[in-house]
């Protein structure tokens, strides 16, 4: 028997199985990365960097006076978080559109 004949009879592994497994593993890793800080830093403070920066400035210079004030302050922390999320989502959409558009132009040429 010829070895080349034996190799042609083997079924190739379906591509969707390996991609599905890869996607599930990546999804589980993302979930682990999101949840891990809550278990590692059980009594940790999850405040924003603005709050931490202000606290550090006041600690180093108690006489510091704020020289810039926001034009509008959201009525609640939830609204502030919503606006921050919308801003990030719009930015991500613009960047993804630019990358996709550049990829499409490259593919057409």
């Amino acid at each position: 028997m010829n070895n080349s004949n034996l190799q042609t009879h083997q079924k190739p592994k379906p591509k969707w199985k390996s991609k599905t497994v890869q996607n599930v593993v990546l999804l589980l890793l993302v979930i682990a990365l999101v949840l891990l800080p809550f278990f590692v830093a059980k009594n940790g403070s999850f405040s924003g960097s603005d709050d931490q920066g202000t606290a550090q400035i006041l600690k180093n210079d108690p006489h510091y006076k704020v020289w810039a004030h926001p034009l509008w302050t959201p009525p609640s922390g939830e609204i502030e978080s919503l606006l921050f999320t919308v801003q990030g989502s719009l930015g991500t959409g613009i960047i993804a559109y630019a990358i996709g558009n550049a990829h499409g132009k490259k593919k057409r040429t």
Side-chain angles (χ1 to χ4, degrees), residues 16-94:
W16 67 269
K17 281 189 178 181
S18 63
K19 286 290 184 185
T20 302
V21 170
Q22 180 183 12
N23 288 337
V24 169
V25 168
L26 288 173
L27 179 65
L28 291 174
L29 286 172
V30 168
I31 291 170
L33 285 173
V34 168
L35 296 178
L36 186 66
F38 294 107
F39 295 108
V40 172
K42 289 183 181 182
N43 296 325
S45 173
F46 294 101
S47 63
S49 61
D50 293 342
D51 298 334
Q52 293 174 0
T54 303
Q56 193 65 28
I57 289 170
L58 292 174
K59 180 180 166 186
N60 291 335
D61 184 9
H63 303 294
Y64 175 76
K65 292 182 181 175
V66 178
W67 56 272
H69 299 283
L71 297 174
W72 176 74
T73 304
S76 69
E78 290 83 9
I79 300 295
E80 187 176 357
S81 294
L82 172 72
L83 293 174
F84 182 77
T85 303
V86 168
Q87 177 187 0
S89 299
L90 286 172
T92 302
I94 291 169

